[in-house]
Amino acid sequence: MMPIWTKSGEKHAVTLLKVQDCHVLRYVPKEESGGKRAKLFVGGKNASPFYKSESAMEIFKEAGVPRKQKVTTFNVTDDAIIKPGTPLYAAHFRPGQFVDVTAKTIGKGFQGVMKRWGFKGQPASHGQTKTHRRPGAISTNKASKVYRGKKMPGKMGNIYRTSFGLKVWRINTKHNIIYVNGSVPGHTNCLVKVKDTKLPSYKDCNKNPPFPTFFADGDEKLPEDLYDEEMFQFTDPSVTYA
Amino acid sequence: RVHSDGKPEKFQPPPKPVIIDKQRQREERRFLSPEFIPPRGRTDPLKFYIERRDMIQRRKVFNIPEFYVGHVLAVTTAEPYASEKASRFVGICIQRGGKGLGATFVLRNVIENQGVEIRYELYNPRIQVIEVLKLEKRLDDNLMYLRDALPEYSTFDTSMKPVSRLDNEEIPVNKLQVQMKPKPWSKRWERPKYNIKGIKFELPEKKMKEAQKWSQPWLEFDMLREYDTSKIEEKIWKEVSEELKK
């Protein structure tokens, strides 16, 4: 995570996400997939092919791509279908876009009710016998049962969570890095899924995105760094309020 | 020459001239700002490389002078709500913290009997000028104890003129022992964990011995805590100096 300054001198914290060897693996048309849209399987970081069975390696062999650490699905409209085997780059996103980031949260193991659900516990002194971090009452007398989903101690973390509506400030095309506003779930160097926002307030923010994706062997030659309009670039002189 | 005896003196050759090559001396002194050194952790070194590129970019446009804890600095920042849109603050640098682009330093001064500490970010684009008014290192890395010292040690004149200094080798170390206000202090500075050498403790011997009870002499030999930065520093120094010369 890094600080970033705007042209008006405000500071924002930014997370760096690296797009590491992403390829499209398979296209599943609308009829075969059980939903309303076609699906595209996309694979992430490269990994060793020797630790998986032959049947699992079939998808990668069809696409002609080394084995990937993580495979995710994206629901896609018919005009955004990409041929399996195309690499995906960070330039697929542009500065000024808004993005949702999904990842597995840091696993905390088996945790008590105070850390897991934020319960207040009991006082440390004034006569409490062996009760300082316990949940207290779990149901009423009339219910005479414990409701499903009652907040109780258990394994915390290591589940998929999403942060919505994160602004993209900067894109580095050489190293394939996306600078995303705010924090992102997961530990450092964990695998993360980046999608366009589902929030309705940012519907009009993607003005001219590269559609269906950014092709590296195409005609477009992008500069090494793409900045958002409001972001302060370090090549400019210091900010003044004249 | 002839002695009073009349015998000629044995020929003594003149002493060899000592050539001080000032250019070589200047190059020998290397200063790498502490925020360039990456902290220990499992982060990808690519992140530090990219951050360093940004830091070098900023240094090319805006000069960040070499300074240590104990220097007296004057910082001019652009403020949107100040008259003349710029505010100048003079103070002694108490602490340098943070790594990478978020590196900060704290300046302390006593203005009209009120102690004021301001934390500035080195790479904040709102900073217009950083001037080094007085160069002197102190005995410690962290001068937070000035909060509990007598206010005369933290007062510096706002209209102080920069002390002129040639491009010499060493920065003078001020071995000043500071006198403290009566206890209670904000932290127990006599305890060995702070390792402060710049205070003139006027506490009775009994208290000083009792403070040594909290010493942890095994920490010095703990191998897992070792973080040898010499090789990393050399690499980064080469990279940074080459980029800045361009």
Side-chain angles (χ1 to χ4, degrees), chain A residues 2 17-18 23 47-50 55 58 65 82 88 106 113 119 121-122 124 127 142 157 173 187 194 209 222 233:
Chain A
M2 255 213 263
L17 305 175
K18 179 166 166 135
H23 283 91
S48 157
F50 300 117
S55 50
E58 268 175 26
V65 139
I82 309 175
L88 302 174
I106 300 180
V113 105
F119 284 16
Q122 288 83 26
K142 200 169 176 192
T173 28
H187 55 89
V194 184
L222 288 177
Q233 304 179 26

Side-chain angles (χ1 to χ4, degrees), chain B residues 39-84:
Chain B
R40 222 155 75 133
R42 294 164 77 172
T43 338
D44 203 359
L46 178 66
K47 185 239 181 191
F48 297 123
Y49 170 69
I50 288 182
E51 226 179 348
R52 241 176 291 141
R53 266 202 326 203
D54 279 341
M55 283 150 80
I56 293 171
Q57 266 298 330
R58 175 73 180 153
R59 277 182 184 245
K60 282 188 189 173
V61 174
F62 169 69
N63 172 41
I64 298 177
E66 170 191 342
F67 69 97
Y68 299 84
V69 166
H71 285 212
V72 180
L73 305 178
V75 174
T76 332
T77 345
E79 301 277 331
Y81 306 113
S83 57
E84 284 173 40

Side-chain angles (χ1 to χ4, degrees), chain B residues 192-244:
Chain B
K193 99 170 192 199
Y194 297 107
N195 195 17
I196 292 185
K197 296 163 197 156
I199 300 184
K200 190 172 184 182
F201 291 110
E202 273 149 12
L203 301 167
E205 275 244 7
K206 205 173 151 192
K207 297 253 169 166
M208 297 300 288
K209 268 198 174 175
E210 207 196 312
Q212 291 301 318
K213 261 204 272 180
W214 278 269
S215 68
Q216 295 170 315
W218 56 85
L219 279 188
E220 195 194 341
F221 304 103
D222 195 339
M223 291 171 80
L224 285 180
R225 275 172 209 262
E226 282 170 8
Y227 183 38
D228 190 21
T229 48
S230 46
K231 291 182 189 169
I232 307 173
E233 267 193 54
E234 272 187 40
K235 271 193 214 168
I236 298 179
W237 161 256
K238 270 189 207 169
E239 207 188 300
V240 169
S241 54
E242 272 170 27
E243 282 288 319
L244 282 175

